[in-house]
Amino acid sequence: MATKINPNPEVYDVLDTKRDYNYDEETKDDIDAVEVFEILRNLNDPEHPLTLEQLNVITLENIKVEGNHVTVHFTPTIMHCSMAALIGLSIRVKLKRSLPKNFRSDVYITPGKHQSENAINKQLNDKERVISALEKPKLASVINDCIGRVQA
């Protein structure tokens, strides 16, 4: 097994954001930051058997929704995290698969929280680079694992 970049990450309590939903097909239901947080909170860390919420990589405070535009900032657990681009791609793919087609999303590393923040942000928000990355079967498989594994 490969050596972990951050062998002992700090684990945080999860946020209680449960809502009572009364579905009414006549009522317009806008997507808000809490709903986006619910979509992303259970993404799995590629290195640890923990969610991005448990590692405080994803927080409600770092999600903004304005109309049909979602902006997510995520915070790697360490400044030199080699998994930051993979985590960002997982967030981007999960949003693409979960939000309505008319939504646009931007994914960024929280300012000042990674040594390669500018380069990774550029990669994550370049449509062609994202498509190219997802065409690589091994990388797509790892991203699907991050999105699909369910925590017990």
Side-chain angles (χ1 to χ4, degrees):
M1 180 172 195
T3 302
K4 293 183 179 182
I5 302 299
N6 184 3
N8 296 308
E10 186 170 348
V11 178
Y12 297 81
D13 291 332
V14 296
L15 189 62
D16 181 10
T17 59
K18 291 186 175 67
R19 295 180 174 174
D20 287 329
Y21 288 99
N22 294 319
Y23 294 104
D24 178 2
E25 300 211 9
E26 302 295 319
T27 304
K28 183 179 179 205
D29 181 25
D30 292 329
I31 293 176
D32 62 8
V34 173
E35 193 165 352
V36 174
F37 178 72
E38 290 294 329
I39 290 168
L40 299 175
R41 73 187 310 172
N42 290 316
L43 287 174
N44 297 291
D45 181 78
E47 190 175 32
H48 299 284
L50 299 164
T51 67
L52 296 185
E53 179 189 18
Q54 289 172 310
L55 294 172
N56 219 31
V57 172
I58 292 286
T59 62
L60 179 58
E61 297 78 25
N62 285 335
I63 298 171
K64 305 291 182 247
V65 179
E66 295 176 358
N68 66 344
H69 182 219
V70 175
T71 303
V72 176
H73 284 86
F74 69 98
T75 307
T77 58
I78 53 177
M79 284 290 290
H80 58 278
C81 177
S82 64
M83 301 289 171
L86 179 60
I87 291 168
L89 276 171
S90 298
I91 293 167
R92 176 163 287 293
V93 170
K94 182 64 174 179
L95 290 172
K96 179 83 172 148
R97 291 180 183 174
S98 302
L99 293 172
K101 295 204 182 303
N102 66 324
F103 270 69
R104 197 181 91 213
S105 61
D106 292 316
V107 178
Y108 301 101
I109 292 177
T110 305
K113 297 297 183 179
H114 195 276
Q115 65 187 18
S116 301
E117 141 192 1
N118 292 334
I120 293 172
N121 286 342
K122 185 175 182 180
Q123 290 174 344
L124 293 175
N125 292 292
D126 182 323
K127 186 177 178 179
E128 287 76 28
R129 286 186 186 190
V130 171
I131 290 169
S132 176
L134 295 175
E135 289 174 347
K136 296 179 174 125
K138 178 75 174 156
L139 183 57
S141 174
V142 173
I143 289 169
N144 286 331
D145 284 347
C146 291
I147 291 171
R149 255 186 301 136
V150 178
Q151 299 298 315

